[in-house]
Amino acid sequence: MQTRLAWIAFVFWFLSDVAASIFLEPRCGNHIALKISGGYNAAFHHSAWMAAVNNKTHFICGGTLIHKRFVLTAAHCIHGQDVLSVGLGAYHKSHPEVRRDVIEKLMFGGRSSFENDIGLLKLSSNVIFNAHIRPICIVLNQSLANQMRNVSTFKAFGWGFLRGRKETDILQTITLKNFDRKECEVDLSVYLSEKQLCAGAPLGDTCEGDSGGPLTNNVNIREVGDREVQFGIISAGKSTCDGLGVYVDVMSYADWIKTTIERHYTEDEPQSSPVPKIKPQQQDVFLYNDCGGANIAANLKADIYGLNFRAQGIFITHQFVLTNAERLPRNPSNLRVFVKGRTHFYEVYSVLSVLPNDQNDVALLKLNRPVATRGSPAGMKPICMLANVVDQQRAASTPPFTMFFDAPTHRRIYDVSVALGNPHQCSERIQRRIEWNKLCVEPPNRMSRIGSGSYILGKKVTNSGKIMLVLFGIVSDSSNGVYVFTNVMKLSEWIANAIRIN
C-alpha cells in the first residue's frame, strides 16, 4: 500500500437513539487501544479485525473478521483457491494472534465478478473475541446506512506493496477521498454500478496485496458510542498503484451477508466459565501429563548457574526446564540447575543440552536425568501447559490471570489476580516497544511493597473438577511497575516438538 498517512477523525452524530442491534455483530468495532498518529504503519488496534488470507504456500489477500465464524473479503481473492487459512489479530501478517482453516468459500452469486467482488470465508471454529481479536461493524440498518453513505473520506488497510514494490509485514493504512463513481469511470474506463465505490488519494493508493481489505471509518452513534464501521472492500485499480480505485460498497450487500451467515453458520459447543473448564478430549489436555499444582508453591522451580551467570527457570517436565534465551550460555557443560523449593535448594543437576528459540527469547534445558521424587520437595511437580489450541484460546479469553508475589517477611506467597495491559500504554511506561509475542501486566502497586514478583504469569483452569495452574508467560523484563512476559503459550507446539525429538 503506497501511503501518506493522515488521521482524519470523521464523526457522525445522530439525534435518535440507535440500539446495538443495528450491527451484524453487537460486540464489533470497539477501540481497545490508544490511537497513534504519524508514520506509515497502521495503529495497532486496527489489526483486531484484520484477517490475513493465505493459500497453501503464501499470503494472498486481506480480509476482515465480521462475525465469530466468518471473514469478509474480495471474491477474486478466493476464486479458484483450494486450500485457504486466515491469520487473525494480525498486525504483522506473518505473526497473527490465532490461525483458522477455511472450511467453506461463499461468493455472491456463486462466482467472482468485477461488479459483485465480495465473498465470505467460513472458519473451522468460532473465534473467541478478546483485546486483540474483535469483529469490525457491518451496518444492517439501511436507514442508518443511508445517512452514512456520503462520507468524505475512508481509511484503507492492508499488507500490499509499498513504493518501489517493497513488501511489508506490518499493517499499512492510507486515508482516501470518497469520489463520485463517474470519476473512476473516466479515469479507469470502466462502468461502476450503484454497489461500487470510487476512492483515491493524491499521493498514494491501495496496491497489489491489499485486495480484500477494508475501507473503514469511525462512527459515533448515540447510546452505542464509537465504533469502527466497514464501508468497502478493496477490489480493483491501476496496476501502477497511483490513481483512483474501485471498492465494493459493503452496505449494499448487508442483507446478503446476514442471510448467508444465518444459512451457513453452525454453533460450537458453548464455552464459558470464570475459571475456564477444560473438557477431556482425545487429544491430551496438557503437554506433560505428570504435571500439577494450583499454586506456584506446588511447582518445581529452577535456579540456573553458570560462569558469571545466574537465571531462573520453571520445570515443564521432570527433565526439561523453560527459561529465557537472552544471555544464556550455549555450552551445556558450563551450566548447573538447582531444584528450588519454597525456602531452600534441593538436588543439583548438570545440563545435557541447551535448546534456544532466540526469536522468542526462550530456551529449554534438558537435564542429565529426570528429577527424582526423592530429590525434590514432596508433592511438587512441573507446571502444566495446555496442549491444544482450543483450550489455550478458551483460557486466554477469560481473565483474570495470576501473578505470585513472594513475601519472606510474611512467610507466604500471595496469589494476585491481574489483567493483561494495553501494549501501547505499557510501551509508554517502559519506553520500549511491546512486541507481538509479549504480554504486559501492571500489578497493584501495593504488591511491590510486599514482595518480589514471580518469574511466571499463570492462569487457573479446572480440569475434571480440579483447579490447575497453567503456564502462560515467563518474565523477560520489568520496569517502572510493568512486567513484560514472553507468551510461551503461543510456543507450545515448538516446546512439544523440541521435547519429543530430544
Side-chain angles (χ1 to χ4, degrees):
M1 177 180 289
Q2 299 178 0
T3 68
R4 183 177 71 174
L5 185 62
W7 291 100
I8 302 175
F10 191 95
V11 180
F12 297 89
W13 289 93
F14 298 98
L15 298 178
S16 60
D17 292 346
V18 184
S21 59
I22 61 174
F23 299 125
L24 174 69
E25 176 58 71
R27 296 168 291 174
C28 66
N30 291 320
H31 284 183
I32 306 301
L34 299 174
K35 285 187 176 181
I36 56 174
S37 59
Y40 292 90
N41 297 338
F44 185 84
H45 66 267
H46 284 120
S47 66
W49 36 78
M50 287 300 296
V53 183
N54 302 273
N55 62 17
K56 287 188 290 188
T57 59
H58 60 278
F59 166 81
I60 54 173
C61 276
T64 46
L65 183 67
I66 62 169
H67 181 274
K68 59 186 175 182
R69 198 64 176 269
F70 290 87
V71 164
L72 184 66
T73 189
H76 79 262
C77 290
I78 59 179
H79 177 71
Q81 298 285 347
D82 294 328
V83 179
L84 292 171
S85 65
V86 298
L88 301 171
Y91 185 69
H92 295 78
K93 71 172 186 275
S94 61
H95 298 296
E97 288 288 320
V98 299
R99 298 183 188 273
R100 285 288 189 277
D101 291 332
V102 174
I103 60 174
E104 192 171 6
K105 300 178 300 179
L106 304 160
M107 293 176 284
F108 185 90
R111 62 189 181 90
S112 171
S113 68
F114 172 73
E115 182 178 351
N116 298 298
D117 192 16
I118 184 171
L120 288 166
L121 300 175
K122 182 179 179 181
L123 307 181
S124 54
S125 62
N126 288 349
V127 176
I128 299 174
F129 302 148
N130 57 41
H132 304 293
I133 301 176
R134 303 183 73 81
I136 197 167
C137 295
I138 301 296
V139 177
L140 300 179
N141 185 302
Q142 284 304 307
S143 174
L144 183 58
N146 290 335
Q147 297 180 63
M148 297 181 181
R149 288 186 185 278
N150 295 323
V151 299
S152 60
T153 59
F154 304 111
K155 291 172 288 187
F157 296 88
W159 294 276
F161 287 121
L162 305 175
R163 288 188 179 92
R165 296 189 67 80
K166 294 180 180 179
E167 292 188 11
T168 177
D169 192 55
I170 298 176
L171 183 65
Q172 303 292 298
T173 188
I174 184 174
T175 299
L176 303 177
K177 183 179 178 181
N178 185 6
F179 285 94
D180 188 279
R181 285 189 291 271
K182 292 181 180 179
E183 298 283 345
C184 274
E185 291 176 350
V186 172
D187 193 48
L188 301 174
S189 300
V190 294
Y191 170 77
L192 269 62
S193 75
E194 292 183 352
K195 296 189 291 184
Q196 291 173 300
L197 301 170
C198 177
L203 298 175
D205 189 14
T206 52
C207 199
E208 183 181 344
D210 290 321
S211 290
L215 292 186
T216 79
N217 219 320
N218 186 255
V219 175
N220 186 288
I221 303 173
R222 187 178 177 183
E223 307 226 351
V224 175
D226 284 345
R227 299 296 180 97
E228 196 76 15
V229 169
Q230 183 163 358
F231 286 79
I233 301 171
I234 300 169
S235 178
K238 293 181 178 179
S239 60
T240 51
C241 308
D242 59 359
L244 299 179
V246 179
Y247 303 82
V248 178
D249 181 357
V250 169
M251 293 179 183
S252 295
Y253 292 89
D255 289 341
W256 176 80
I257 292 171
K258 181 176 183 291
T259 56
T260 302
I261 288 176
E262 289 174 347
R263 190 180 308 121
H264 293 268
Y265 175 64
T266 51
E267 182 67 77
D268 283 349
E269 292 183 12
Q271 39 183 268
S272 62
S273 174
V275 177
K277 294 181 180 179
I278 307 301
K279 295 182 179 180
Q281 303 176 17
Q282 289 184 345
Q283 183 179 0
D284 288 339
V285 173
F286 301 119
L287 285 181
Y288 182 64
N289 289 327
D290 193 15
C291 64
N295 187 292
I296 189 65
N299 296 128
L300 291 168
K301 296 170 287 294
D303 263 22
I304 305 162
Y305 289 87
L307 185 62
N308 299 318
F309 175 81
R310 181 180 178 181
Q312 297 181 74
I314 186 82
F315 280 85
I316 57 172
T317 79
H318 280 89
Q319 194 169 4
F320 283 87
V321 172
L322 185 65
T323 187
N324 301 97
E326 188 176 358
R327 299 188 302 275
L328 179 69
R330 301 308 159 91
N331 186 345
S333 62
N334 293 335
L335 296 172
R336 293 292 182 271
V337 172
F338 290 77
V339 179
K340 186 178 180 182
R342 172 69 181 85
T343 58
H344 60 281
F345 295 107
Y346 292 81
E347 197 168 357
V348 60
Y349 293 79
S350 60
V351 176
L352 193 63
S353 55
V354 177
L355 310 169
N357 183 329
D358 291 311
Q359 182 180 357
N360 294 291
D361 187 28
V362 297
L364 284 170
L365 302 181
K366 183 179 181 180
L367 307 189
N368 62 316
R369 66 188 188 281
V371 173
T373 304
R374 61 178 176 79
S376 64
M380 294 185 71
K381 290 188 174 185
I383 195 168
C384 294
M385 292 190 69
L386 294 175
N388 63 78
V389 174
V390 173
D391 290 340
Q392 291 171 3
Q393 191 175 11
R394 184 181 302 150
S397 65
T398 52
F401 294 86
T402 302
M403 279 186 68
F404 300 93
F405 285 80
D406 192 357
T409 57
H410 295 192
R411 297 183 178 179
R412 62 171 294 186
I413 296 176
Y414 289 90
D415 290 30
V416 181
S417 294
V418 295
L420 298 183
N422 180 294
H424 294 299
Q425 292 173 331
C426 289
S427 295
E428 290 177 1
R429 287 287 304 274
I430 67 174
Q431 295 298 301
R432 287 185 297 281
R433 178 189 170 108
I434 303 295
E435 299 296 338
W436 66 271
N437 58 348
K438 305 291 184 182
L439 305 168
C440 67
V441 171
E442 188 174 352
N445 289 333
R446 69 181 188 278
M447 298 313 302
S448 61
R449 297 190 294 268
I450 293 175
S452 57
S454 66
Y455 179 65
I456 71 151
L457 178 68
K459 175 75 179 181
K460 292 187 178 181
V461 303
T462 59
N463 181 45
S464 301
K466 186 177 181 181
I467 294 180
M468 309 282 281
L469 176 68
V470 297
L471 180 64
F472 255 76
I474 59 174
V475 168
S476 64
D477 190 14
S478 63
S479 176
N480 202 21
V482 174
Y483 287 77
V484 180
F485 295 88
T486 298
N487 187 348
V488 297
M489 183 67 75
K490 282 179 173 272
L491 303 175
S492 59
E493 185 176 353
W494 173 81
I495 292 170
N497 288 334
I499 291 174
R500 178 176 53 83
I501 64 178
N502 288 280

